[in-house]
Amino acid sequence: MLVIDDDPIVSQVMQMLFETELQLTCKVTGEEGLKAVAEEKPEIVLLDIEMEGMDGYEACRRIRQLDLPFQPYVIFVSAHSDPVKRLAAYSVGGEDFVSKPLQPEELVRKVEQALRYRREIHELKSQARGAMSVAMSAMTDSSALGICLQYFRRLFQAVDSGQLMRTTLDALREFGLAASVQFRDNGEVKTLSSESGNSQLESLLLQDLSAERQRIVCYDSRCAFNYGPVSLLINNMPVDDIERCGKLKDYLALMAEGAAERAEVMIQDGAAGQGQAGATLAAMIESQRTAQADARALLDAMRARMEDMLGNGPRAALLLGLVDEAQDSLGKLQLRQMRELESLGRRLRGVALRE
């Protein structure tokens, strides 16, 4: 508590009443008192009205202009307690008024009341800050969830690994994160970075981290998330903001898991498509073999029929020679077609084995 009063008796009474309960400072002029308020930031100020130099009204007005964490509770003290004086005291920012000569019981009661009021103000402000913090946190969470929901909508529209990685980097960019995404498909590795496009160093780092079978690996501001065929590497996690960093880890783990599920579907669809293509090709080869056998049988039957009809004359030899040429040409064509189909089958099986 700060006492600003040029009457030494008032200061002695204050010391007698409050010195053992409160940290007490006494000043005798408005200028000294104003400086003490700025430096010591008292909870309560007992302020005389009539002083030499700066009076109590002006001192209170200037106190209220100070940039303080908390304004003090100002109790005016005056031998003049007429309504005009009281109204003037309240109008410049005073909260209470005590008349001289001082009545100790009344003064103690008013100081205790002021302290209770100050505690309530502190508690209310603390609660308000807490409520504001909760509200801001909820707003932040809502925004983050909005980014995640939008990401999942786009993610499950992705048709290939490139679109999956670009969609993931776009969502991470909305969080303000610089990152790399890796897609692994049975030996084939693709890595895309938001900063350098394709970083070989980050690609190798993600492959090494994914081999460790740890879902989340963090060091300083870098954090990797490994889920199945997908890994995320975040280069600028906000480690100085512990609460935000923790929430981001939850969101990023959710995103990485969703990306992994979509990647698994892509890989399975690709394998199913290759199996279907292989089955279709096998059927084509079998059908071609059957057709070629039928064509050869037909030509053989034609040649035998012509031999029966034409006999062994020169004309028969000429016609049978044409049939033999046709059979030879057809055989070469059938062989070439079969080789092409079998080559396509080998390439398809090779792709399936690599993947």
Side-chain angles (χ1 to χ4, degrees), residues 9-241:
I9 296 178
V10 170
S11 296
Q12 291 175 5
V13 171
M14 297 299 179
Q15 289 176 352
M16 180 183 64
L17 291 175
F18 301 110
E19 194 171 39
T20 58
E21 304 293 332
L22 299 172
Q23 181 179 343
L24 190 66
T25 302
C26 296
K27 300 295 180 182
V28 296
T29 66
E31 290 83 355
E32 291 179 354
L34 188 62
K35 183 179 179 183
V37 170
E39 292 176 351
E40 300 180 18
K41 302 175 181 58
E43 294 283 331
I44 302 172
V45 174
L46 266 65
L47 181 59
D48 189 16
I49 293 179
E50 296 178 356
M51 296 181 293
E52 291 186 7
M54 184 186 299
D55 64 15
Y57 296 135
E58 182 62 21
C60 184
R61 191 179 293 111
R62 293 195 184 185
I63 287 172
R64 295 307 185 211
Q65 294 173 353
L66 293 174
D67 184 15
L68 301 172
F70 295 98
Q71 279 284 336
Y73 190 99
V74 176
I75 302 175
F76 275 97
V77 180
S78 176
H80 305 285
S81 59
D82 59 87
V84 175
K85 293 281 188 182
R86 288 176 176 269
L87 183 61
Y90 292 128
S91 67
V92 296
E95 277 123 339
D96 208 339
F97 196 98
V98 176
S99 300
K100 290 181 179 180
L102 296 173
Q103 300 297 320
E105 291 183 358
E106 179 190 13
L107 185 59
V108 170
R109 180 177 60 80
K110 286 184 177 289
V111 169
E112 290 177 348
Q113 178 181 324
L115 289 173
R116 283 196 302 271
Y117 173 78
R118 291 291 297 177
R119 283 195 295 269
E120 290 173 0
I121 290 295
H122 283 305
E123 289 174 3
L124 287 172
K125 288 186 176 181
S126 177
Q127 292 171 9
R129 285 196 300 270
M132 182 61 69
S133 177
V134 170
M136 292 300 295
S137 179
M139 290 174 63
T140 302
D141 289 346
S142 176
S143 175
L145 286 174
I147 294 173
C148 288
L149 289 174
Q150 185 65 23
Y151 168 68
F152 286 121
R153 291 192 192 100
R154 294 173 182 170
L155 178 65
F156 290 101
Q157 295 173 357
V159 295
D160 56 36
S161 59
Q163 191 174 356
L164 181 148
M165 291 190 292
R166 289 191 296 272
T167 298
T168 302
L169 287 178
D170 288 342
L172 295 174
R173 195 175 292 112
E174 291 187 57
F175 280 114
L177 300 174
S180 295
V181 181
Q182 186 171 94
F183 183 101
R184 297 176 295 276
D185 185 359
N186 294 323
E188 184 179 3
V189 178
K190 299 177 183 178
T191 306
L192 189 63
S193 171
S194 60
E195 296 182 335
S196 57
N198 186 0
S199 170
Q200 186 66 22
L201 179 61
E202 292 182 346
S203 177
L204 294 173
L205 177 60
L206 283 172
Q207 289 181 68
D208 290 342
L209 290 174
S210 66
E212 297 294 329
R213 302 295 183 184
Q214 293 187 42
R215 288 290 178 84
I216 302 176
V217 182
C218 295
Y219 179 77
D220 199 12
S221 62
R222 291 197 169 196
C223 201
F225 299 81
N226 302 299
Y227 284 80
V230 172
S231 292
L232 310 180
L233 176 62
I234 311 301
N235 295 315
N236 59 336
M237 288 292 287
V239 292
D240 293 334
D241 188 339

Side-chain angles (χ1 to χ4, degrees), residues 255-300:
M255 291 172 63
E257 188 171 5
E261 290 181 4
R262 181 56 183 158
E264 293 283 6
V265 170
M266 289 180 179
I267 294 170
Q268 291 171 9
D269 286 349
Q274 288 159 10
Q276 184 177 0
T280 301
L281 182 59
M284 288 174 61
I285 293 174
E286 186 61 30
S287 176
Q288 185 66 19
R289 284 175 177 162
T290 301
Q292 289 177 1
D294 291 343
R296 286 193 298 269
L298 180 59
L299 285 173
D300 288 340

